[in-house]
């Protein structure tokens, strides 16, 4: 998009082409003719006189447009303008007849007088009561004060968009609120602490302000928990980390003390923003999740089935083997016995150990015992749910969909309205964070049987908690499958995944064609070889959706950001025949591989769903207003994105290993480089390898790979779920109930 000279335009708003909240695209009728303007303009409508300041630009598809930086609504200067404004519908309580009466009394400067004198300017006019006078004046002021507020807040580095959101929240008090306590903006999710701190410096808030110290303490606690997966921080760590942020680049006389932070922690505790438990400091919501998960799990494990007699169960197992022409290993039969012995069971194990086989057998045998039972299958992500549905032949959903999760609202299924299932199977449990575990368990009736399936050696959840590991270590009944079956032993992917998990180096048999290691040391050369590898697989007949390029990091020459640009240019270069849409620094082009990054119930999409960009276009809403949109195909279904919804969409030629969890693809290509030294860990490599169904290609150095394999120092997560499970009042007896498969062998 090319930019020309900055300027200003005056005119009357014509047709509104597109509007979304405060953003609009519209026709402006000026003395020189019509032009298209676009930007943030709150509370304006067709027919209004406006003055806009900004820049001309040329859109590759829609041509010349004027991009608004700021705007003004000039005060009416004539009687005709005053009447037109007051009767436009923008002023509540004032119609055409009353508008003429007001202007007759106050003259051409009627609106200016009303702004200055308030209700007293019109209260005496016949036909206007005290209540209506207040309504009219408030409405007039609201129409003009927003631009004044935008101007005042702009000098503190607050954008027009942000200023409008602040105005919506605080109205005419917006400026005074920001000047007194800019850190309130963090509660509106408009800015993070660091941006609020920058605004505070410009406003003149003291570095020693209690508002600042409390906001920083709250920020550090939540940021550390979210980024490191903790549910709490030790108090001393919270204080030290907060002091680092507060005192960075501060002169000695403005440095916050330890006592100041301790006082802030005390105040936040008094207001219920955080919870103390011994030396542990929790954000309130994480404390609630962890405590309630422990309580609900304890109640679930306290229930016993007790109906299935061992002899009868063994007969069912033999019947299943005969019907399906298979022989289950002793570990797999033990898993079935344990499910009927306990109300809650964890099934864990690495690739090739038969978790899927056991799951299918469990469903079949459970149905033999309970032919009329309702069975529910779910997983944390859409891809994992689809895989579960494929291997079981049953319907499966995401956990969010199963419980009817709605952001900001109570889920459809909860403790007052439990899920209508007798038996629930949850797959890929290693991905579950403490919040998701909380919502699922809240929706499960205490009498429901639950099977948790997952690989505890994979990466833990992205968000706080270590749900699967904590349950296993607390002694919740667990069967761990360890035997690699003969068919799986033929796969170098499976064999090497287990070798990595045991801390052993990978072994590449060049006579086989399922595992490759290509040596390159320079990160830029690694990136180019990744590109060549992708192009080669495409030549061999694989589709772009069959190839997962997995990187440990987002940044750097072999991070996902740079790899996506390289692969987009190589696989899907620009062409006059292809629609494309540039949003910020990202270009979405027809044919691009993309990933949806947020659960969105309205679109029927979940975090991690992958699709292909199909086209751009104009979509007309129910009011006939046109909107620029991008269309993507997700599993045969076309989904529409408005411009402001594209924050939920990213290019997916390369994704992080964390993002790949729950999904699989025929081909996995992974860079392994010391440039990613901080991310070289065994569970990361193991997780990436186990995403591959047919081929793994590693590109880098054996040195980097061996560093990762030796690094089994999994970052410790601060949680107390294990302790809560062990010492709850309704505690189960883990020693009696937990059995590792093979103990009966």
């Amino acid at each position: 998009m090319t930019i020309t000279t900055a300027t200003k335009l005056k005119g009357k708003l014509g047709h509104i082409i597109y509007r979304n909240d405060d953003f609009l695209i519209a026709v402006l009728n000026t003395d020189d003719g019509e032009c298209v303007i676009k930007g943030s303009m709150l509370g304006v409508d067709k027919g209004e006189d406006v003055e806009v300041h900004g820049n001309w630009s040329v859109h590759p598809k829609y041509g010349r447009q004027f991009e608004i930086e700021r705007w003004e609504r000039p005060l009416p200067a004539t009687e005709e303008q005053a009447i037109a404004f007051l009767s436009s519908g923008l002023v509540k309580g004032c119609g055409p007849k009353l508008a003429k009466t007001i202007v007759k009394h106050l003259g051409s400067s009627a609106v200016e007088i009303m702004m200055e004198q308030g209700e007293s300017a019109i209260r005496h006019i016949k036909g206007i009561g005290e209540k209506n006078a207040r309504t009219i004046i408030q409405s007039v002021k609201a129409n003009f004060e927003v631009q004044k507020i935008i101007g005042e807040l702009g000098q503190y580095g607050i954008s027009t968009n942000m200023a409008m959101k602040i105005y919506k929240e605080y109205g005419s008090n917006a400026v005074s609120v920001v000047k007194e306590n800019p850190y309130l903006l963090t509660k509106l999710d408009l800015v993070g602490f660091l941006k609020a701190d920058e605004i505070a410096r410009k406003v003149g808030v003291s570095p020693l302000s209690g508002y600042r110290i409390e906001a920083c303490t709250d920020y550090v606690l939540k940021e550390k928990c979210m980024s490191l997966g903790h549910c709490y921080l030790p108090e001393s760590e919270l204080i030290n980390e907060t002091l680092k942020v507060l005192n960075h680049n501060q002169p000695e006389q403005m440095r916050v003390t330890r006592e100041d932070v301790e006082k802030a922690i005390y105040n936040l505790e008094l207001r219920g923003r955080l919870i103390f438990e011994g030396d542990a400091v929790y954000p309130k919501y994480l404390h609630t999740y962890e405590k309630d998960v422990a309580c609900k799990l304890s109640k679930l494990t306290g229930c016993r089935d007790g109906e299935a007699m061992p002899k009868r169960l063994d007969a069912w197992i033999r019947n299943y083997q005969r019907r399906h022409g298979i022989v289950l290993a002793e570990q797999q039969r033990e898993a079935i016995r344990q499910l009927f012995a306990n109300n809650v069971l964890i099934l864990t194990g690495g690739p090739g150990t038969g978790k899927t086989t056991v799951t299918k057998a469990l469903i079949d045998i459970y149905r033999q015992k309970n032919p009329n039972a309702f069975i529910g299958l779910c997983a944390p992500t859409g891809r994992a749910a689809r895989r579960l549905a494929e291997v079981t032949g049953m319907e499966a959903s995401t956990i969010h969909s199963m419980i009817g999760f709605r952001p900001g609202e109570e889920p459809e299924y909860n403790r007052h309205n439990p899920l209508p299932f007798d038996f629930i199977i949850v797959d890929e449990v290693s991905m579950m964070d403490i919040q998701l575990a909380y919502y699922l368990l809240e929706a499960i009736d205490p009498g429901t049987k639950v099977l948790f399936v997952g690989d505890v050696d994979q990466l833990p959840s992205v968000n706080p908690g270590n749900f699967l590991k904590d349950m296993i270590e607390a002694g919740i009944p667990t069967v761990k499958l360890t035997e690699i079956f003969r068919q799986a032993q033929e796969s170098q992917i499976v064999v090497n995944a287990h070798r990595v998990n045991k801390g052993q180096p990978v072994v590449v048999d060049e006579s086989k064609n399922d595992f490759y290691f290509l040596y390159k040391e320079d990160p830029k050369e690694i990136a180019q070889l990744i590109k060549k590898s992708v192009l080669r697989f495409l030549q061999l007949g694989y589709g772009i959706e069959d190839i997962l390029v997995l990187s440990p990091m987002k940044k750097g020459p072999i991070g996902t950001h740079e790899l996506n640009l390289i692969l987009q240019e190589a696989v899907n270069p620009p062409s006059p025949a292809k629609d494309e849409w540039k949003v910020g620094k990202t270009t979405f082009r027809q044919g691009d591989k993309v990933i949806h990054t947020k659960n969105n119930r309205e679109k029927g999409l979940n975090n991690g769903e992958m699709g292909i960009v199909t086209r751009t276009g104009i979509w007309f809403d129910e009011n006939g207003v046109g909107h620029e949109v991008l269309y993507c195909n997700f599993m045969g279904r076309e989904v529409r994105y408005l411009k402001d919804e594209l924050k939920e969409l990213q290019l997916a030629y390369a994704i992080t290993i964390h993002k790949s969890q729950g999904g699989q693809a025929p081909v996995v290509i992974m860079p392994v480089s010391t440039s990613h030294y901080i991310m070289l860990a065994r569970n990361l490599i193991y997780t990436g390898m186990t995403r591959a169904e047919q081929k793994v290609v590693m590109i880098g150095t054996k040195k980097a790979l061996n560093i990762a394999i030796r690094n089994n120092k999994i970052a410790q997560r601060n949680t107390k779920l294990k302790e809560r499970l062990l010492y709850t009042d309704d505690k189960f007896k883990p020693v009696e109930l937990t059995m590792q498969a093979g103990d009966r062998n």
Side-chain angles (χ1 to χ4, degrees), residues 658-669:
H658 271 103
K659 277 286 183 190
S660 74
Q661 284 181 274
Q664 284 190 299
V667 178
V668 165
I669 302 173

Side-chain angles (χ1 to χ4, degrees), residues 405-583:
F405 182 83
R406 298 177 292 255
E409 299 179 35
E410 181 82 0
E412 180 183 352
Y413 292 99
N414 50 59
R415 68 174 68 188
H416 306 296
N417 181 34
L419 288 162
F421 299 115
D422 303 290
F423 178 27
I424 293 176
I425 298 173
V426 192
D427 200 10
E428 296 286 359
V429 180
S430 63
M431 300 171 64
M432 284 181 67
D433 57 65
I434 195 69
Q435 181 190 45
L436 191 55
Y438 165 82
Y439 280 117
L440 175 61
L441 291 168
E442 279 287 283
I444 295 177
D445 187 84
T448 303
K449 189 176 287 292
V450 183
L451 173 67
F452 292 112
V453 183
D455 186 346
V456 74
D457 295 316
Q458 287 190 23
L459 291 170
S461 59
V462 174
N463 291 325
N466 212 347
F467 181 60
L468 179 59
K469 183 172 180 285
D470 284 347
M471 285 197 299
I472 292 172
E473 291 187 353
I476 285 193
T478 299
V479 172
K480 183 172 184 178
L481 304 177
T482 57
E483 181 182 345
I484 305 174
F485 290 95
R486 185 173 299 171
Q487 186 178 356
Q489 289 174 357
E490 298 299 314
S491 166
Q492 287 194 94
I493 298 171
V494 171
V495 171
N496 278 324
H498 282 275
R499 288 184 65 84
V500 166
N501 206 27
K502 294 174 183 176
Q504 299 169 353
V506 300
V507 175
V508 180
D509 183 348
E510 295 182 359
S511 67
K512 296 183 178 181
N513 64 351
D514 60 350
F515 199 99
Y516 303 89
F517 194 99
L518 307 180
Y519 178 82
K520 283 291 177 188
E521 190 163 358
D522 181 75
K524 291 183 179 179
E525 292 182 1
I526 292 174
Q528 289 304 309
L529 193 49
I530 288 172
K531 179 180 77 172
K532 289 180 182 178
S533 299
V534 170
L535 292 173
R536 179 58 179 154
F537 281 116
L538 292 175
Q539 289 172 355
L540 291 171
Y542 290 93
I544 192 63
E545 66 277 5
D546 298 326
I547 305 168
L548 275 179
V549 177
L550 304 180
S551 178
M553 298 180 74
K554 295 179 181 179
K555 297 180 180 179
I558 47 176
T560 57
H561 292 323
E562 190 63 29
L563 287 175
N564 269 314
L565 295 177
I566 292 170
L567 293 172
Q568 183 188 44
E569 182 68 24
V571 174
N572 191 30
S575 163
K578 297 175 185 174
D579 289 345
E580 65 176 49
W581 199 359
K582 187 168 185 179
V583 181

Side-chain angles (χ1 to χ4, degrees), residues 2 34 74 96 98 114 136 141 166 172 208 218 266 309 373 393 401 405 455 477 509 527 565 570 585 599 682 689 707:
T2 57
E34 291 185 350
L98 193 53
M114 293 165 74
I136 292 171
K141 285 186 174 182
I166 296 168
S172 57
L208 301 177
D218 187 58
Y266 175 74
M309 300 302 293
S401 296
F405 182 83
D455 186 346
D509 183 348
L565 295 177
K585 295 181 179 179
N599 292 327
R682 183 185 300 177
M689 291 172 63
I707 289 172

Side-chain angles (χ1 to χ4, degrees), residues 100 138 281 290-291 376 498 522 604 649:
K100 289 178 181 177
Q138 285 176 348
V281 186
E290 192 178 85
K291 180 168 60 68
H498 282 275
D522 181 75
L649 201 66

Side-chain angles (χ1 to χ4, degrees), residues 164-344:
M164 288 183 172
K165 289 174 182 174
I166 296 168
Y167 175 75
K168 285 181 189 177
E169 182 71 21
Y170 298 113
S172 57
N173 296 321
V175 175
S176 59
V177 166
V178 170
K179 284 184 175 180
E180 181 183 358
N181 183 9
Y183 301 98
L184 285 173
L185 302 183
T186 60
K187 295 182 183 178
L188 301 180
D189 289 329
L190 294 178
V191 296
F193 170 78
L194 298 179
K195 179 63 177 178
D197 210 30
E198 180 186 316
I199 293 169
R201 285 194 296 273
K202 293 177 180 177
V203 171
V205 174
S206 168
L208 301 177
S209 163
Y211 292 136
R212 178 174 185 254
I213 300 169
E214 287 183 19
C216 187
T217 304
D218 187 58
Y219 157 75
V220 168
L221 178 60
K222 291 176 180 175
E223 194 276 333
K224 289 292 181 184
C225 286
M226 291 304 295
S227 63
L228 299 175
H230 297 319
C231 288
Y232 69 86
L233 288 183
E235 183 184 13
S236 59
E237 183 178 341
L238 174 59
I239 292 172
N240 292 337
E241 292 297 322
T242 302
L243 286 171
K244 283 182 188 177
V245 176
L246 288 170
N247 292 331
H248 181 66
N249 288 337
Q250 291 290 347
E252 189 64 36
Q253 65 272 22
M254 289 296 177
R255 293 175 73 84
V256 176
T257 67
R258 191 176 187 86
E259 289 72 26
D260 293 330
V261 178
E262 288 174 347
K263 181 180 178 182
I265 292 173
Y266 175 74
N267 289 335
L268 289 168
E269 183 188 17
L270 281 180
R271 294 202 295 275
R273 297 281 296 281
L274 53 80
I275 302 291
F276 260 99
E277 196 169 283
D279 184 49
V281 186
Y282 283 82
K284 183 180 179 181
Y285 63 97
L286 290 178
H287 185 265
T288 299
Y289 295 154
E290 192 178 85
K291 180 168 60 68
D292 287 4
V293 162
C295 181
K296 194 62 186 277
L297 272 173
S298 295
K299 288 178 179 177
L300 280 170
T301 53
C303 297
R304 294 288 178 270
D305 192 358
E307 295 178 23
M309 300 302 293
K311 289 183 180 179
R312 191 178 177 195
L313 181 56
D314 286 341
W316 287 336
I317 293 172
R318 287 193 298 272
N319 179 37
Y320 176 83
Q321 292 177 131
R322 186 168 55 252
R323 283 187 289 112
H324 292 271
I326 62 172
V327 177
L328 296 172
E330 175 56 29
Q331 289 184 340
Q332 295 174 317
R333 294 195 294 273
E334 182 58 36
I336 297 168
R337 296 187 191 105
Q338 287 296 308
L339 180 75
F340 284 95
N342 303 288
N343 203 47
V344 176

